[in-house]
Amino acid sequence: MTKMLNLKLKVWRQDGPDDAGHFEDYSTTVADDASFLEMLDYVNEQLIADNREPIAFDHDCREGICGSCGLMINGQAHGPQKGTATCQLHMRKFNDGDHITIEPWRAAAFPIIKDLAVNRAAFDRIIESGGYITVNTGAAQDANETPVPKEAADAAMDAAACIGCGACVAACPNSAANLFTSAKIQHLNLLPQGQAERFGRTKAMVETMEDYFGSCTNYGECQEACPKEISVDFIAMMNRDYAKSMIVNRRRLGERKVG
Amino acid sequence: MALELDAKVPPGPIADKWDNHKFDLKLVNPNNRRKFTVLVVGTGLAGASAAASLGELGYNVKVFTYHDSPRRAHSIAAQGGINAAKNYRNDGDSVYRLFYDTIKGGDYRSREANVYRLAQVSGNIIDQCAAQGVPFAREYGGLLDNRSFGGAQVSRTFYARGQTGQQLLLGAYQALARQIQAGTVELYNRMEMQDVVVADGRAQGITCRDLLSGEIVSFAGHAVLLCTGGYGNVYFLSTNAKACNVTATWRAHRQGAAFANPCFTQIHPTCIPPADEFQSKLTLMSESLRNDGRIWVPTEFDEQRAPGDIPESERDYYLERKYPSFGNLVPRDVASRNSKTVVDEGRGVGPLKNGVYLDFSDAIERFGAETIKARYGNLFDMYERITGEDPYKVPMRIYPATHYTMGGLWVDYNLMTTIPGLFALGEANFSDHGANRLGASALMQGLADGYFVAPATVPGYLAGLLGTPVMDTSDPAFTQTVAESQSRIDRLVGIQGTRSPDHYHRELGKLVWDYCGMSRNRTGLEKALAEIPALREEFWSDVRVLGNPGGFNQSLEKALRVSDFMEMAELKVADALQREESCGGHFREEHQTADGEAQRDDEHFAFVGAWEWGGPDVQHDAVLNKEPLEFENVQLTQRSYK
Amino acid sequence: MTQAMERRGADAPKVHSTQRTNRPWPVEFWSSAIGKKWVMAVTGLGLMGFVFAHMVGNLKMFLGAEEFDAYAESLKTLLYPIIPENGVLWMFRVGLIVMFGLHIASAYQLTRMNHRARPVKYQSPRDYIAANFAARTMRWTGIIVGLYLLFHLADLTWGWFQPDFVKADAYNNLVNSLSRPPVAAIYIVANIALGIHLFHGGWSMFQSLGLNSPRYNGARRAFAAGFAVVVAGMNVFFPIAVLTGIVSN
């Protein structure tokens, strides 16, 4: 049966990228059937009724797949439920009288736009630098011409499940994006179709990542925060491919001098 | 003034139309391609694939999304799969069969030639996606796996776990990213289209609101492709993402593009029912659940017992009872309508009496919990996260929800709207799904349009503009449109009323759902036509938009979207009222067979209802144009699932 | 590249810049963060070998002064006469200094990079799930071990803190030093820090080197924990053994 929860919220408010920002306190009462974002919707409705500006936060599909939402809830990226994005977190995970602190993702690469919304364009830059297989539309052969071992397809799918929400960066004490980048790299590197560009891709994507993000020191916090429970094993695989990329591409170039 | 609806369907046998047409289309010399600017609005399956493909060809492409990244478009949420007539299963599938199933599934309200082309290119889509690294499900031999979906009699659905839409979109997004890096495509994220600029009888560009700075900016192009999805959020509660909206297509409509069949909306039978008044959206549970789950409600009205305490004799497995041959696997529209009937009777289940049971206890007994977990584990987990109930122990509660809109901008065979140079792709157009869409066909259409159709037909249009520069954005056509967009914003912000945009969206959604939802009748539709303008007026005099309009302002974004839904809803209802027949997702209670099934009227309604904007009094000003549908290759039959 | 960086929405500041020029690969590798983590892992592995051998050598103290001094002396004549006296020892010393240097340099540079990657910290307390005490304190345990190492060299190699230090009388120097409770306490604290450092480092190096496989992933944690307990445990036991008189002169 539906239970009503009285909550004390402490929410980060920041008027724009250059504003210093501060916490504001709100109290609200919501049903435990509500999702976390519905709770925020409700707070926003109350704020509007009081003629106060509603809280800005990114969200869209509310099915845990688009990766738009992402809040630091009581010090945990996406809150207390494992393998669950903020939009799929429901209030029944909280108790009556709880204090909830909500902060935006914080990283140099994710500048705050307003309140809880951040700019994650650095992720797009990583993909643009090599996160694809070069094949023009129409150039593909019949799909069954290239068999893919089921194990490889499954492992690639595990990596490809990444929703690009940025929780790994948010949770990482170093603001490293190694889980995101490794998932995107390994999704393609594990497939036969991705072999031709394997090492060039790895090198380009790692280097773009390092332009914006911190370094991985193997805390493992990213894996815990990931709503798709992507494994840090992919980081190890990326490290291996990156080291190989130092040698393999050069060997392919033979003895010729380039650049 | 009636529009001339020339579908430009090429002559000749249906199987040769597309090839002949591609040959007849004019080409653009590779050296000339970069002289053409193409604006692509939206980065879902259709938009991302079209932008990437046109960029590869060498056109100068600008792509717009209101999201922070192209990858967030709602195509990403599609679960089930994508159809293709590959016949890898040797079970008798063919291009013709996929074409036939799609036409029949659409209850004979789509255009034959377009649907045939869709089936023709379906196989190329799978090839393209596999080459891009989409991790489709595989068999142990390494070849692609298929499943049957949505009651199809052949296994033609390709899938990537329960995240097919996500994986296909990532494939298109990655292809797009490659072109962005190559410099052929420019990405404008957090940019929401506000209007189409039409001058000299063709589309010249668009205006957008920069969601970060609040500025209205103009972009000129030789062609504009709207890949902006459907209008399902007119119901407020739907399985669409929160930001999905009708603004792009509606503004195009206001500029002269005909809007076709707005009353055709697909209501998906297996969604999680709303839990309380906080409900912000509905979540779809894959259709595949109906393969093993049994749908029932108590025989008694106002049943108070827990489902486990209700004896077998007091359960009504109503789909199995009414449709012995298809049972729980009847098509989406039939399943949805029957759920509504039993809930309306007062036999709904759950705290709000707003659902029906989808019970897995028989399947668990027969196959064991482990097998069921292997098949539906992810979905069961998702259900438990949302409802807090364990579907292994307690039957799921489901109820229909708006899912997809078959209607959209009217387009010809080239996917061009009635405004020359303005194209509509994917869910934003009306062409392929008629009155009801089959499962796993939306992804197919989005990618067919984006990868294969538009890259062939858009150049055919551009070729005629060789040597014509894009219009200067300081031209009055642009500055005037910018001023109009700006004044709409100023007006909304200036109202300083008492209610939030969300409040009005909910009110509108409730009206449309109650009177133009799963089943419709004249009285209800007329009531809606009376109430919607009143609500719209109230919205325009009482909405409260707070915050700075010259910056990131989600309330303002919402208010702008709701203001367009307020007009669109009226056209949708008017269309439902004019269509005096039942077909697919459009069920008019006045038109049903003796045993309560949909009664089509092919003699009077085998046409596409293409509405022309006439003025702000939508229901009276809008002009209905009819494109007659001719069926040369299929026999019209009455669907039966008994 | 620059065009890509200036694109809309990419106004994130750069925190690091990998060398993209066509330099010799070790230089290029070192310039990347992943390369530095490789260096940390490889030097860490070398240093683990050292602390393990050092610990095993020190076990000789339980065999008495003669055995212990003989062991200490033998280090000078390793591979003698193929290599001159003290030759191998100096090779080890240089190797260790280089490894320490690289280990510390990478740690320092990565730490700086990580600070730049989050200039504004979270304003509310974090609730860590996976990041354990060892992982979060690597920086501090590393500094403690480094300072302790200097003290250790000054105390037992150079004899700065021992009035009756006799060069080459290793056993007596050791027992005399560890009989002083404050010094013993320093040893104990520092070696606990070393154990904590090894507990994370011994696992982390496998990740950094890309050594992972479902077959032995479970063993990586066990290895790190076992190694840390054995090395740090024995090292802590030495001063205790002196203080309690198990080992005396």
Side-chain angles (χ1 to χ4, degrees), chain C residues 4-247:
Chain C
M5 297 311 153
E6 284 160 9
R7 252 194 317 269
R8 182 184 161 74
D11 46 1
K14 283 197 184 184
V15 297
H16 174 262
S17 194
T18 311
Q19 297 288 344
R20 289 191 174 89
T21 51
N22 197 31
R23 302 238 225 123
W25 77 260
V27 177
E28 195 177 329
F29 195 42
W30 165 258
S31 77
S32 76
I34 288 183
K36 287 193 215 301
K37 285 299 288 181
W38 270 72
V39 170
M40 285 197 82
V42 171
T43 54
L45 190 62
L47 295 170
M48 281 168 74
F50 166 68
V51 293
F52 188 75
H54 188 284
M55 182 274 288
V56 171
N58 280 353
L59 287 172
K60 301 277 184 308
M61 78 172 67
F62 296 109
L63 301 176
E66 234 166 83
E67 284 275 348
F68 190 81
D69 288 344
Y71 154 68
E73 202 54 34
S74 75
L75 293 176
K76 296 177 182 166
T77 55
L78 274 178
L79 287 182
Y80 181 81
I82 302 173
I83 288 171
E85 200 168 317
N86 279 336
V88 172
L89 190 58
W90 272 106
M91 275 189 252
F92 275 136
R93 280 173 176 161
V94 170
L96 285 172
I97 289 167
V98 169
M99 284 197 282
F100 266 115
L102 288 172
H103 199 80
I104 292 166
S106 348
Y108 173 76
Q109 292 185 10
L110 291 173
T111 304
R112 290 290 307 277
M113 176 177 168
N114 295 341
H115 278 289
R116 286 197 298 274
R118 182 169 288 144
V120 181
K121 306 271 167 255
Y122 283 102
Q123 305 293 301
S124 58
R126 285 293 311 274
D127 184 357
Y128 290 110
I129 307 157
N132 53 33
F133 178 76
R136 292 206 309 274
T137 55
M138 286 303 272
R139 202 166 296 154
W140 307 116
T141 52
I143 289 171
I144 292 171
V145 170
L147 292 175
Y148 154 74
L149 177 75
L150 294 177
F151 170 77
H152 184 52
L153 287 171
D155 184 33
L156 288 176
T157 306
W158 304 320
W160 294 358
F161 306 133
Q162 289 196 52
D164 35 3
F165 182 80
V166 180
K167 210 163 164 63
D169 189 4
Y171 185 81
N172 281 324
N173 290 340
L174 177 75
V175 175
N176 288 343
S177 179
L178 293 183
S179 312
R180 297 170 295 178
V183 175
I186 291 173
Y187 272 78
I188 291 169
V189 168
N191 276 295
I192 290 172
L194 176 66
I196 294 169
H197 200 78
L198 289 171
F199 177 75
H200 180 69
W203 173 80
S204 176
M205 66 176 186
F206 290 105
Q207 276 293 111
S208 296
L209 293 173
L211 297 174
N212 99 308
S213 161
R215 270 172 296 149
Y216 59 72
N217 274 356
R220 300 186 304 181
R221 281 272 184 209
F223 166 79
F227 190 89
V229 166
V230 169
V231 170
M234 284 318 296
N235 282 354
V236 166
F237 183 60
F238 297 142
I240 292 173
V242 172
L243 284 181
T244 53
I246 298 173
V247 171

Side-chain angles (χ1 to χ4, degrees), chain B residues 153-283:
Chain B
Q153 288 167 301
V154 292
S155 289
R156 62 158 79 99
T157 304
F158 295 79
Y159 64 102
R161 291 204 188 135
Q163 291 135 277
T164 317
Q166 181 199 26
Q167 294 311 314
L168 295 173
L169 182 63
L170 291 181
Y173 158 66
Q174 288 165 192
L176 179 65
R178 181 165 75 93
Q179 293 310 307
I180 292 172
Q181 184 77 353
T184 59
V185 177
E186 255 179 281
L187 169 68
Y188 294 87
N189 64 341
R190 294 204 194 258
M191 271 285 184
E192 184 160 11
M193 190 192 116
Q194 295 298 310
D195 222 329
V196 181
V197 178
V198 182
D200 304 335
R202 62 185 170 90
Q204 302 279 2
I206 57 171
T207 63
C208 296
R209 182 168 181 271
D210 179 336
L211 301 185
L212 296 177
S213 71
E215 207 186 331
I216 303 292
V217 278
S218 304
F219 297 91
H222 292 94
V224 177
L225 275 56
L226 299 184
C227 313
T228 54
Y231 47 84
N233 267 352
V234 68
Y235 291 99
F236 183 76
L237 286 181
S238 82
T239 66
N240 284 8
K242 292 296 287 175
C244 291
N245 67 80
V246 77
T247 293
T249 47
W250 188 253
R251 301 317 289 186
H253 171 63
R254 289 185 53 135
Q255 295 288 357
F259 206 113
N261 300 336
C263 76
F264 288 164
T265 318
Q266 182 165 75
I267 313 284
H268 196 290
T270 51
C271 302
I272 302 174
D276 52 40
E277 78 272 24
F278 301 109
Q279 193 81 30
S280 63
K281 75 154 275 159
L282 297 170
T283 302

